[in-house]
Amino acid sequence: MHSIVFRLDGEVRLRGSNEANEGRVEIKLGGVWGTISHRDWDIRDGHVVCRQLGHRRAVRVYSHSR
């Protein structure tokens, strides 16, 4: 097993939901917004993003579009 490290110097946001605390995670790199889509995405990653957005923690995460 190998580790994958993401270095994010851009902005993070949630999109695709009417709720402020849920949605698809997007990051802005090089002035372009993109979606996080990685099969190794897990609850720990969700906790980090939620804290960056001012939330306490993630409740659940999905590694694919729903």
Side-chain angles (χ1 to χ4, degrees):
M1 185 169 141
H2 61 279
S3 297
I4 297 173
V5 177
F6 294 98
R7 179 178 165 82
L8 303 178
D9 294 327
E11 299 173 54
V12 180
R13 69 182 183 187
L14 294 176
R15 285 293 201 234
S17 174
N18 292 328
E19 301 296 324
N21 62 344
E22 68 181 32
R24 176 182 63 250
V25 176
E26 295 183 344
I27 61 170
K28 187 177 181 182
L29 296 172
V32 178
W33 285 102
T35 302
I36 298 286
S37 60
H38 197 277
R39 71 175 190 272
D40 293 330
W41 179 261
D42 64 18
I43 193 71
R44 293 171 296 179
D45 302 311
H47 291 322
V48 171
V49 169
C50 285
R51 285 192 301 267
Q52 290 175 324
L53 294 171
H55 303 290
R56 187 171 167 181
R57 64 182 177 88
V59 174
R60 79 178 63 86
V61 299
Y62 300 97
S63 60
H64 54 79
S65 298
R66 291 193 68 174

